[in-house]
Amino acid sequence: MKNSVFLLLMIALMLGCLEDHTNLDYREINDYSDWSINGMQVSYSLFPGESVTLTPTVRLSRDTLNPAVTSSWLLDGEVVSQEVSYTFVADEKGSHELVYVATDPKTGVSFPKRVDIVVSPYNHLGWLFLSRTSAGKSHLSMVVAKRQQVPYWTKYGTRYRDSLVYVDFATDLATDVLGEQPIRLMEEYPYPGDVEPEEKSEILILQKSGLVELGESELTYTGSPLNEFAGEVPSAKIKDAAVSFTSKWLLFEDGQLYFSVANVLSDLHSGRFGSDPAFNGKKFKQLVEVMKCSDYPLPYFPVIDEEQTMWLIVDDADPKNGVEGDIINPLNYVGTLVPLRNDPQKPVDITLFKNFDGEYVQHLYVPKKDFLFSLLKRNGQYYWHRYNFNFPYTFKPQYAIDGVTVSESTLGKLSGELFSDFKDAAFAKFQNESYSNCEWLLIASGNNLYAMSMNWKDTEKQNYQKIKEFSSEIAFIQIRCFSYLNYIHVGVLLEDGVFHVFELHRDEKADSFETKEVYKQNIKQLDADIHEVVDMIHKYGNGANRFYGFVN
């Protein structure tokens, strides 16, 4: 609705100009033929408590130098000032539309300029680091980001897209609720993956001392999955966790898997874990993260058992439409364990999924549901593996016996140089400003960072480029995609504590990647409590930001 305020105002002002019959010589008055209002940015991003003072300069078609105009400011459609300057104070979170209107008193013709202002929590966007102190305590810190609009040029003129600028480093976050022996970080997204302010994520911190969930905006304690057990809490230490469409899954060091099904889709804490392990105590090694932060998430997520066989766990729940709070329809098969099988009409190498005799180097998150993607090692050779499943639109219990077919499985070779001292990998899938699909694989090996634009058809050779060589070994890499920009942000944390953020852009004509550094700090020097960083993630703030590449 806010976007329409400026549009309606423009229409009204234009009509007012057209209906002005008091002057027959429009060449001698200020009109819409040539004018500008400068001194204000297209948008501003503020934290609560901050302010910005705007003092526009007006140039009109005839009275170009210091024209005698009257001023008016409208905030979200309401007049808030008639002074030349206006100070906006960020005392209410959310998006705001500020319109400055300069009016020529000679003719009554008005000239508006719109500014978008977003007020976001301080901890909303950025890069999160989970560390261990010298005493073994969990420690949380963050490179804080703000939204910024960047111009790009089209045949229709200048357009703007959202990106990020990194403005601060915060430490000692949630210190009073953290435990010890940290393992990893996760960002959990409630359904739906929309841009509404209330649809925020939560941060899950895995520690051997227990699990902690933090509200994404203020990073304050919101609960713990271990407090959501209906019966006795498992005695084994936590190993891993996953969040599917409506469920939470906890994997413990003894291989036992427990799950909780939400009662309300928009509430990550509305379910309860059973006291008995899932699937009669069957043991698992890995949970595979899949696309969940969308209105149409995958109705399953993969798990790998101790025999290195992949299974699918069903999560086909849906909301009762129109019910307050998105109450879940109970007529579904959430929690059903389904085997994989070959399609006799289109067989693949099923040994990549059953009793796999190689190594799963890393499963990489794909922010769409087009396919799944992993890095493998088998018989001394490294591969990329793109795969998918013919999961039925309507699930039936018989599939739990017969299995679900593998619909796609393509294996491509990768150079051993990329894995000589493998550290981490990340996969980016997004649309750039030309609406072209970009699918980039990044691999960190030793102190080198490599990138490649995936050529799925060439399974014998994948061209790659070393884009950076650092003075220290790489610890972690993560990516942040943006909607319709021609670059992504790549966060690279080195073992010595230096954290870099690069804009990574690909020049298709030159068939090469280009980098531009936008942030560099040694976080161990900024935060003396960091002994070792154990995990790093990009904090998106909500599911739509991750799935669509938005910045909200």
Side-chain angles (χ1 to χ4, degrees), residues 318-337:
D318 62 341
K320 290 183 176 180
N321 293 331
V323 177
E324 183 70 24
D326 290 326
I327 302 299
I328 292 177
N329 188 337
L331 301 177
N332 53 65
Y333 297 94
V334 177
T336 303
L337 188 67

Side-chain angles (χ1 to χ4, degrees), residues 282-333:
K282 181 178 176 61
K283 294 188 176 181
F284 297 88
K285 291 175 60 176
Q286 286 182 285
L287 310 179
V288 180
E289 183 186 15
V290 296
M291 190 276 295
K292 192 257 178 183
C293 52
S294 160
D295 288 340
Y296 304 98
L298 291 172
Y300 62 82
F301 79 95
V303 293
I304 298 170
D305 68 15
E306 290 191 319
E307 285 73 42
Q308 295 218 113
T309 292
M310 182 178 288
W311 302 72
L312 301 184
I313 296 179
V314 178
D315 192 347
D316 64 341
D318 62 341
K320 290 183 176 180
N321 293 331
V323 177
E324 183 70 24
D326 290 326
I327 302 299
I328 292 177
N329 188 337
L331 301 177
N332 53 65
Y333 297 94

Side-chain angles (χ1 to χ4, degrees), residues 353-468:
F353 303 93
K354 287 190 173 182
N355 302 112
F356 178 55
D357 59 354
E359 176 187 349
Y360 292 108
V361 177
Q362 191 167 338
H363 301 281
L364 300 181
Y365 179 84
V366 180
K368 303 290 177 183
K369 59 179 183 179
D370 304 333
F371 55 86
L372 287 83
F373 185 52
S374 300
L375 301 178
L376 308 178
K377 181 181 181 182
R378 197 180 205 184
N379 299 324
Q381 173 67 52
Y382 290 91
Y383 300 90
W384 55 263
H385 185 205
R386 172 179 165 139
Y387 55 101
N388 214 335
F389 311 110
N390 188 24
F391 198 86
Y393 180 77
T394 302
F395 186 82
K396 298 179 181 179
Q398 189 63 28
Y399 293 117
I401 301 173
D402 298 339
V404 166
T405 59
V406 179
S407 60
E408 176 188 0
S409 179
T410 306
L411 206 63
K413 291 182 180 180
L414 290 168
S415 170
E417 179 185 16
L418 302 170
F419 300 90
S420 59
D421 187 13
F422 178 77
K423 299 295 185 179
D424 201 1
F427 180 73
K429 180 177 173 61
F430 67 104
Q431 279 193 330
N432 64 17
E433 60 192 22
S434 301
Y435 298 95
S436 299
N437 287 321
C438 301
E439 297 173 332
W440 302 344
L441 173 62
L442 280 70
I443 294 179
S445 182
N447 62 340
N448 295 314
L449 181 61
Y450 301 92
M452 63 198 78
S453 181
M454 296 305 295
N455 178 3
W456 302 115
K457 294 181 180 180
D458 191 345
T459 60
E460 292 300 317
K461 180 184 178 182
Q462 193 73 48
N463 292 327
Y464 64 92
Q465 175 189 344
K466 182 166 73 174
I467 57 176
K468 283 292 175 182

Side-chain angles (χ1 to χ4, degrees), residues 45-50 90-96 118-126 142-147 164-165 167-168 170 173 196-198 200-201 215-220 539-542 545 552:
S45 181
L46 303 176
F47 295 134
E50 292 184 332
D91 54 6
E92 183 179 346
K93 298 173 187 176
S95 299
H96 304 276
V118 175
V119 182
S120 300
Y122 179 75
N123 299 317
H124 182 53
L125 302 170
M142 181 177 180
V143 171
V144 179
K146 276 185 176 181
R147 187 184 80 160
L164 290 174
V165 59
V167 297
D168 203 359
L173 302 172
E196 295 301 321
E198 63 270 16
K200 300 300 184 184
S201 67
E216 74 85 19
S217 293
E218 308 299 338
L219 294 176
T220 54
K539 187 173 181 295
Y540 283 88
N542 66 47
N545 285 346
N552 289 293

Side-chain angles (χ1 to χ4, degrees), residues 20-39:
D20 181 7
H21 304 295
T22 59
N23 193 314
L24 299 179
D25 188 356
Y26 278 85
R27 293 171 298 177
E28 300 300 320
I29 66 171
N30 294 305
D31 59 22
Y32 276 93
S33 62
D34 184 20
W35 62 280
S36 65
I37 297 176
N38 301 306

Side-chain angles (χ1 to χ4, degrees), residues 67-87:
V69 297
T70 60
S71 299
S72 183
W73 297 87
L74 288 82
L75 179 63
D76 298 333
E78 300 291 332
V79 177
V80 291
S81 175
Q82 293 182 324
E83 302 295 327
V84 174
S85 296
Y86 177 71
T87 298

